[in-house]
Amino acid sequence: MKRQSPSDYMRCYHGFSVQAFGPTGLPMAGTVHVTRYQVAAPLERDRLIAAIKTVLKIKHTPPLHSNYDWFAFAPGDPIQTHEPFYWQSIRRAFGFKGSPGEMQAVLRLACRLGRIGTGKDVAGQPAAAPTLAAYAKQFFSLDCNGFVGNYWGLSPEVHQSNWAVITPTTEARVLKKTTGGDYWNGWGTAAVKTLDYIPLTPRRAADEACAGDVLIVHKDGTSWSHIALVDHVTWVDGNQVNWRVVEYGESTSESNFDTAADNHIKPFRTVKLVQGPNKKLGVGYQDGNKFKYLFAAPDSLFSPATLGRCGVTAI
């Protein structure tokens, strides 16, 4: 099956529909746009969890970074679904790493629990926002490695530097710390499974470039500062390609989305790919004080993320 393009996956964050039910079963519906960059919302996450605990009579909050369990509502509940809801989805949705599917699930939870609406929620806390759109605008966002990881169905929390370069020593440290199930430095189960697909293979010539390839930005020759995807690649000549870059490195506006002024799906442009300063890392192009290295897409057969990562729904 042909993979969805990076630009089409980006569109899934803009204008997705949600059908939900409130605490009394009253239907709620809306269209949601996720446009903000790196907005963490731990307070609202904790208030949502407090409401979950009230309805499901859960005594203790699970350790969110390491808990891969799920919960569901009883038959006949106003939420009108028996589907599982995952703690990891809640954690990522409020921590700028969620997929559109995870955000949609959390919005339905927020409606059911009275976090969206007026008055107070099921735990007696004031509601957070009057509508689905307002709630998503206030509490949901994404960032660059979140988008790239989600597009390839891998971890959205592996730092961009590790997509480009990761040493055997670092891998050994990661695996030593996670073998016993401990959470350390972001390397949860999905991130550990992503080690099978990184670091990426550098592209050596312009005619190797393909849609879904990964641009990783080296700033001032010292730090890896950004990661993005290329979309709809055509070859102009031996050194030049025409493509657009799809990235989540800053916020955009609803009115600018999918226009020439969009910060997420950039306009098509022709670039000349040349050997980078670090010859081991192949070709790319200079952009001010940044060199943008081009890497081959990961050898991932996973679909763009909905729930779970690396082919496992709960992680």
Side-chain angles (χ1 to χ4, degrees):
M1 183 175 67
K2 186 178 180 180
R3 174 175 288 272
Q4 185 180 30
S5 71
S7 54
D8 280 345
Y9 188 62
M10 180 66 81
R11 292 184 182 99
C12 293
Y13 285 94
H14 295 266
F16 64 85
S17 298
V18 182
Q19 304 289 328
F21 296 92
T24 63
L26 186 70
M28 303 179 74
T31 299
V32 167
H33 297 269
V34 179
T35 61
R36 301 176 76 192
Y37 172 74
Q38 276 193 353
V39 178
L43 182 58
E44 175 54 26
R45 179 200 65 200
D46 291 348
R47 288 172 175 166
L48 180 82
I49 290 173
I52 293 170
K53 290 166 66 177
T54 297
V55 171
L56 299 183
K57 297 180 172 56
I58 298 172
K59 292 184 178 180
H60 303 289
T61 302
L64 292 181
H65 281 294
S66 58
N67 189 296
Y68 301 106
D69 293 333
W70 55 270
F71 60 88
F73 291 83
D77 187 271
I79 199 169
Q80 299 189 28
T81 178
H82 303 304
E83 71 186 281
F85 292 91
Y86 296 90
W87 295 109
Q88 290 298 304
S89 293
I90 295 172
R91 181 181 68 82
R92 283 191 287 256
F94 290 108
F96 53 85
K97 300 293 183 181
S99 69
E102 288 173 324
M103 293 175 180
Q104 189 178 57
V106 172
L107 286 167
R108 285 188 284 110
L109 282 175
C111 287
R112 162 62 183 91
L113 299 167
R115 299 301 304 147
I116 298 174
T118 58
K120 294 186 177 181
D121 70 10
V122 297
Q125 307 168 115
T131 65
L132 287 153
Y135 189 92
K137 185 174 184 178
Q138 184 172 353
F139 300 118
F140 292 167
S141 64
L142 196 63
D143 69 355
C144 64
N145 53 334
F147 176 70
V148 173
N150 286 345
Y151 176 74
W152 284 107
L154 302 171
S155 170
E157 294 171 284
V158 173
H159 192 268
Q160 52 267 24
S161 62
N162 298 134
W163 286 76
V165 180
I166 186 167
T167 66
T169 301
T170 299
E171 286 204 38
R173 287 176 59 211
V174 168
L175 295 174
K176 181 179 179 181
K177 292 288 185 179
T178 55
T179 298
D182 294 331
Y183 175 78
W184 174 77
N185 197 29
W187 292 93
T189 299
V192 171
K193 287 183 177 294
T194 298
L195 289 173
D196 291 339
Y197 302 91
I198 58 174
L200 302 178
T201 301
R203 291 296 194 191
R204 300 296 176 184
D207 61 6
E208 295 179 359
C210 294
D213 280 0
V214 182
L215 282 171
I216 311 181
V217 178
H218 207 219
K219 184 178 180 181
D220 295 322
T222 59
S223 63
W224 297 98
S225 61
H226 184 54
I227 190 169
L229 297 172
V230 295
D231 189 44
H232 295 289
V233 178
T234 56
W235 302 286
V236 178
D237 57 33
N239 296 316
Q240 295 188 97
V241 291
N242 184 263
W243 63 27
R244 61 183 170 193
V245 174
V246 183
E247 59 189 344
Y248 220 113
E250 56 186 318
S251 62
T252 198
S253 70
E254 292 181 27
S255 59
N256 285 344
F257 179 68
D258 229 350
T259 72
D262 184 18
N263 292 326
H264 293 169
I265 303 175
K266 298 295 182 65
F268 280 94
R269 62 176 295 199
T270 297
V271 296
K272 182 178 181 180
L273 298 180
V274 300
Q275 177 67 58
N278 186 333
K279 293 184 179 181
K280 292 181 180 180
L281 297 176
V283 300
Y285 62 98
Q286 194 76 38
D287 185 5
N289 65 339
K290 304 170 184 176
F291 193 86
K292 300 183 177 182
Y293 287 97
L294 182 66
F295 293 83
D299 186 22
S300 166
L301 299 178
F302 307 123
S303 299
T306 53
L307 303 179
R309 301 295 186 276
C310 303
V312 183
T313 306
I315 68 171

